[in-house]
């Protein structure tokens, strides 16, 4: 791997609560999720150079996950909430990736399953299991605009815990 490689960090939100009266998009993190999310940030600090751009689902649980991850990493990436990430399929997430600025070398998406797992499978050719608060770090020598089947040249997976 070279420093010229693009890095795509896929983060599944931490464990969420299931309050009976909340719509799915409004579900907050559970106590375990609030404990685990900072561990995601600690892992990123040790394994990923500066993240330049973060695209986050607008769901409460993904927003809360990123709010707990962000203080643990040294970078202060540009953060954008993208409605397309909530309940997105792998193909819909691929469209989001295609629009990443060419100058960005390291980007993160904070989202949901099954879309994230399906995206990893699409980009790597290998099935992946992303439980809550899991990370998939994908590397590629190719531009974002060309992301497609087997785009990633290498993948690392982590499930940091508090």
């Amino acid at each position: 791997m070279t420093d010229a490689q693009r890095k795509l960090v896929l983060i599944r939100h931490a464990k969420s609560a299931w309050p009976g009266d909340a719509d799915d998009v409004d579900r907050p993190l559970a106590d375990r999720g609030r404990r685990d999310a900072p561990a995601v940030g600690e892992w990123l600090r040790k394994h990923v150079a500066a993240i330049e751009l973060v695209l986050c689902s607008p769901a409460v649980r993904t927003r809360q996950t990123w709010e707990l991850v962000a203080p643990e990493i040294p970078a202060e990436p540009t953060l954008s909430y993208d409605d397309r990430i909530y309940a997105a399929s792998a193909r819909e997430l691929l469209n989001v990736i295609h629009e990443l600025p060419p100058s960005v070398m390291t980007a993160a998406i904070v989202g949901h399953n099954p879309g994230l797992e399906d995206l990893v499978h699409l980009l790597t050719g290998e099935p992946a299991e992303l439980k809550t608060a899991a990370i998939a770090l994908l590397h590629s020598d190719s531009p974002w605009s060309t992301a497609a089947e087997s785009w990633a040249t290498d993948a690392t997976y982590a499930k940091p815990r508090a």
Side-chain angles (χ1 to χ4, degrees):
M1 290 181 296
T2 67
D3 286 339
Q5 283 192 318
R6 297 197 190 297
K7 296 176 186 78
L8 179 62
V9 183
L10 302 175
I11 303 168
R12 183 170 174 209
H13 64 80
K15 183 72 176 171
S16 59
W18 290 85
D21 59 343
D23 288 336
D24 183 71
V25 73
D26 295 324
R27 289 178 27 228
L29 290 181
D31 289 343
R32 188 177 98 204
R34 284 191 293 276
R35 287 191 306 270
D36 288 346
V40 171
E42 291 170 15
W43 189 92
L44 291 173
R45 182 179 63 234
K46 294 174 186 169
H47 297 93
V48 182
I51 296 171
E52 298 160 77
L53 177 63
V54 175
L55 299 177
C56 186
S57 160
V60 170
R61 60 194 178 274
T62 49
R63 288 162 101 59
Q64 289 177 336
T65 297
W66 181 251
E67 287 166 6
L68 293 167
V69 168
E72 302 299 326
I73 62 173
E76 289 190 31
T78 300
L79 172 61
S80 178
Y81 295 101
D82 191 324
D83 291 337
R84 298 175 297 170
I85 297 171
Y86 178 72
S89 68
R91 293 284 174 193
E92 291 166 327
L93 290 169
L94 202 55
N95 290 333
V96 171
I97 293 167
H98 288 159
E99 294 174 12
L100 289 171
S103 62
V104 170
M105 296 303 290
T106 303
I109 295 176
V110 185
H112 312 267
N113 273 343
L116 289 179
E117 286 181 349
D118 293 344
L119 179 64
V120 170
H121 188 199
L122 174 77
L123 295 176
T124 66
E126 301 291 328
E129 182 179 53
L130 297 178
K131 293 190 180 285
T132 55
I135 303 163
L137 172 58
L138 309 181
H139 299 263
S140 180
D141 294 319
S142 301
W144 302 118
S145 61
T146 65
E149 292 181 24
S150 301
W151 174 82
T153 57
D154 184 51
T156 302
Y157 303 97
K159 178 66 177 99
R161 288 279 192 211

